[in-house]
Amino acid sequence: MEWFNSWIQSLIGWFLNLDDRFYNNFIKEDRWIYLTNGLGTTLLITFFALIIGIVLGFLIALVRVTGDKTGRLKFLNGICRLYLTVIRGTPVMVQLLIIYFGIFGSVAVDKVFVAVMAFGLNSAAYVAEIFRGGIMSIDGGQMEAGRSLGLSYNQVMWKIIMPQAVKNVLPALGNEFIVLIKETSISGYIALQDLTRGGDIIRSRTYDAFMPLIAVALIYLSMVLVLQAGVKRLERRLAKSDRD
Amino acid sequence: MIEIKNLTKSFGQLKVLTGITETIEKGDKVVIVGPSGSGKSTFLRCMNLLETPTSGEIWVDGEEITAPKCDIDRLRRKMGMVFQHFNLFPHLTIMQNITLAPVTLKLQSKEEAGENALRLLQRIGLSDKADAYPAMLSGGQKQRIAIVRALAMNPEVMLFDEPTSALDPEMVGEVLQLMKDLAADGMTMVCVTHEMGFAREVANRVLFMDEGQILERANPADFFANPQNQRAKDFLSKVL
């Protein structure tokens, strides 16, 4: 039981020295800058990866749905299917390492760019399936009604199917964005100083794991909360056509 | 104005239409009746190519719409369609539902389309619903809006696919009344329905279909009083 006693003592000591440790981990030598710089990098990666994910995912979903429904775009549809299989079938960390060491291994490439590509390309696959599910959830009568009025397939897709599909998939999409934010925490594997790595660096200076990790966790949590609030607002705005 | 020549349609092994030849003249009010699974809806949906025929030809105003090079979107503008389940666009207001197609296709300016829609809504007594969403309307109101939405394209013919089958009984009347008004205005109509009263009152021709074929064509008085075909007799004895 010796380990238990020493564990209890260290816990007690943790609470006794809270202000000292706070000073040591964040104030001394301006160590908080590791966190703010890391947070900036994390936000940068997440933001651009999000955009790539949405745009590319949307396009892939369009190709998949149009291909499956009308039999057109056979070649593109095949490529998209292969893409989804490969991306969703392998870990995002392996993809990140392959892009960094494999594809850009021989050139001095900006690491943030690599991370944006890796996380963006990965997220696109999941966003594509979310959008595809949303489009397929719309009753076939909507397409028929639009076409019977003389609108083209693309016009119906754009004006009638998509707005309803996006509204339906908003919760799932918000979920994917939350996953994406947190997934960027593996950026440290290509020696990128993101938020997680920032906390790690502090830990290596102060030999104190608890303080910086809790700080990092709280920052991730607040980012997710902000994102959640944003998605909820959007959901409410799009729900105006539902019965009161 | 619609000429159907030897039309067939199969879904895989299942032959739904087995050779239909029929002509719809301008001003016709044709009602198609028959037991379920007889192919009436498929026949109707072939007329604006919502179903692609397996073989045969369909001509609309002298244009073959079954020809590969035909611009079906342009021809569908002339043919309004009303569905059993209304198929209003739930994310758009009633006004937007009605004006979407004419504005998107640049047939009318937004203002023109809006005025036009309001006039149509006034006619059916629903102008106060212009800014409501479909989810806030009753079934009968939805179907009347769906009819008005088709009318906003100024079609030459209206196709009705069991327009009252999904309605509560007390709402059937208002929809049928609107259809009767349309008929009285001289609209060319093709209607699949189980409303025998409507057929008797409005149709100038009744087509009885079974097993993918038209087995009897008659004016409604003759059809209901004195059907010639044995299966038509059986059918009428069950529904009347």
Side-chain angles (χ1 to χ4, degrees):
Chain A
M1 289 301 277
E2 196 170 317
W3 69 268
F4 187 75
N5 283 335
S6 58
W7 178 60
I8 292 289
Q9 277 187 351
S10 77
L11 265 190
I12 292 168
W14 198 87
F15 279 107
L16 288 177
N17 297 321
L18 220 49
D19 48 350
D20 276 1
R21 294 174 71 193
F22 185 87
Y23 174 81
N24 203 24
N25 277 299
F26 303 126
I27 312 294
K28 196 174 166 192
E29 294 173 15
D30 282 342
R31 282 178 181 144
W32 56 274
I33 289 179
Y34 290 114
L35 292 184
T36 50
N37 283 351
L39 173 63
T41 306
T42 292
L43 285 175
L44 196 69
I45 295 170
T46 306
F47 179 74
F48 286 106
L50 205 71
I51 290 180
I52 291 180
I54 292 176
V55 173
L56 190 61
F58 185 76
L59 292 177
I60 293 173
L62 270 185
V63 170
R64 293 279 292 108
V65 169
T66 305
D68 286 357
K69 265 193 191 157
T70 64
R72 288 181 295 175
L73 308 171
K74 273 211 170 61
F75 182 67
L76 263 180
N77 195 3
I79 290 181
C80 288
R81 226 179 290 191
L82 181 70
Y83 182 82
L84 295 184
T85 306
V86 171
I87 296 288
R88 294 196 304 155
T90 53
V92 61
M93 191 165 93
V94 174
Q95 293 163 16
L96 178 71
L97 294 177
I98 287 178
I99 293 182
Y100 185 60
F101 292 112
I103 296 175
F104 292 113
S106 54
V107 289
V109 65
D110 181 27
K111 284 173 189 156
V112 172
F113 172 76
V114 170
V116 165
M117 291 312 282
F119 292 115
L121 293 178
N122 180 270
S123 185
Y126 292 93
V127 171
E129 285 298 270
I130 291 173
F131 272 130
R132 191 169 72 92
I135 294 170
M136 293 199 318
S137 74
I138 305 301
D139 180 55
Q142 293 286 305
M143 178 57 84
E144 288 184 352
R147 295 302 304 271
S148 79
L149 288 165
L151 299 171
S152 69
Y153 176 89
N154 289 340
Q155 285 169 330
V156 176
M157 206 56 172
W158 203 246
K159 301 237 167 183
I160 298 168
I161 309 291
M162 274 303 172
Q164 296 181 60
V166 168
K167 179 183 150 189
N168 287 357
V169 302
L170 219 49
L173 221 47
N175 194 45
E176 165 60 21
F177 297 159
I178 289 175
V179 170
L180 176 62
I181 286 192
K182 295 181 300 181
E183 228 167 35
T184 60
S185 62
I186 61 167
S187 301
Y189 277 91
I190 58 169
L192 194 57
Q193 295 195 4
D194 72 324
L195 179 57
T196 304
R197 182 45 79 90
D200 244 21
I201 293 173
I202 297 179
R203 183 170 60 95
S204 69
R205 300 280 152 84
T206 62
Y207 302 106
D208 183 353
F210 212 70
M211 269 285 184
L213 284 178
I214 287 293
V216 165
L218 283 177
I219 297 174
Y220 276 114
L221 182 61
S222 11
M223 282 196 285
V224 169
L225 287 179
V226 169
L227 188 74
Q228 244 170 11
V231 170
K232 194 162 204 169
R233 257 183 77 163
L234 204 59
E235 260 177 65
R236 226 176 341 207
R237 187 183 310 174
L238 290 181
K240 68 177 192 296
S241 62
D242 298 343
R243 191 189 279 267
D244 304 314
Chain B
M1 80 167 287
I2 306 178
E3 252 187 293
I4 299 113
K5 293 178 188 166
N6 207 14
L7 171 71
T8 75
K9 171 72 185 175
S10 308
F11 294 105
Q13 291 296 309
L14 183 69
K15 289 197 168 89
V16 182
L17 301 177
T18 55
I20 291 184
T21 299
E22 180 64 44
T23 303
I24 315 276
E25 302 289 351
K26 196 164 179 56
D28 261 355
K29 288 106 184 69
V30 177
V31 169
I32 305 171
V33 298
S36 57
S38 58
K40 357 181 247 303
S41 280
T42 307
F43 175 40
L44 189 78
R45 289 158 57 82
C46 278
M47 286 186 206
N48 67 352
L49 250 48
L50 281 186
E51 302 289 354
T52 313
T54 307
S55 71
E57 293 174 10
I58 300 172
W59 295 70
V60 174
D61 282 348
E63 273 186 85
E64 188 191 351
I65 65 171
T66 39
K69 60 176 180 0
C70 169
D71 178 6
I72 185 61
D73 292 338
R74 192 171 46 78
L75 278 154
R76 281 190 182 128
R77 294 176 194 176
K78 299 183 189 179
M79 311 168 86
M81 180 139 191
V82 177
F83 300 85
Q84 182 177 356
H85 296 288
F86 330 134
N87 297 344
L88 292 181
F89 309 133
H91 63 301
L92 300 178
T93 64
I94 299 309
M95 178 59 85
Q96 289 165 336
N97 261 276
I98 299 171
T99 57
L100 176 71
V103 173
T104 303
L105 296 170
K106 299 191 168 64
L107 302 176
Q108 296 164 21
S109 72
K110 214 172 166 190
E111 294 71 31
E112 264 180 294
E115 283 168 29
N116 197 14
L118 215 51
R119 198 161 47 238
L120 287 163
L121 283 174
Q122 260 156 11
R123 172 175 166 180
I124 60 170
L126 290 177
S127 49
D128 57 323
K129 303 287 187 194
D131 296 321
Y133 286 92
M136 302 162 186
L137 303 185
S138 72
Q141 290 172 331
K142 281 185 207 172
Q143 192 61 299
R144 281 149 66 209
I145 300 289
I147 294 173
V148 160
R149 178 177 68 180
L151 289 177
M153 293 291 292
N154 300 317
E156 292 172 19
V157 54
M158 288 283 285
L159 310 176
F160 294 88
D161 188 2
E162 302 198 22
T164 58
S165 298
L167 293 173
D168 290 339
E170 77 266 29
M171 294 172 180
V172 170
E174 59 190 78
V175 172
L176 289 182
Q177 187 55 50
L178 175 56
M179 290 167 65
K180 284 176 197 166
D181 293 347
L182 270 184
D185 289 350
M187 176 64 78
T188 309
M189 295 164 71
V190 183
C191 181
V192 172
T193 187
H194 296 292
E195 295 291 332
M196 296 303 153
F198 177 79
R200 209 189 298 245
E201 196 177 330
V202 176
N204 67 344
R205 211 137 52 85
V206 175
L207 307 181
F208 173 76
M209 279 183 73
D210 196 14
E211 291 176 3
Q213 279 181 316
I214 298 176
L215 296 183
E216 185 155 348
R217 303 170 164 80
N219 69 56
D222 291 343
F223 177 74
F224 288 107
N226 189 18
Q228 301 300 307
N229 183 282
Q230 185 54 44
R231 269 183 285 183
K233 284 180 196 168
D234 294 345
F235 174 74
L236 285 176
S237 71
K238 280 179 205 154
V239 299
L240 288 181

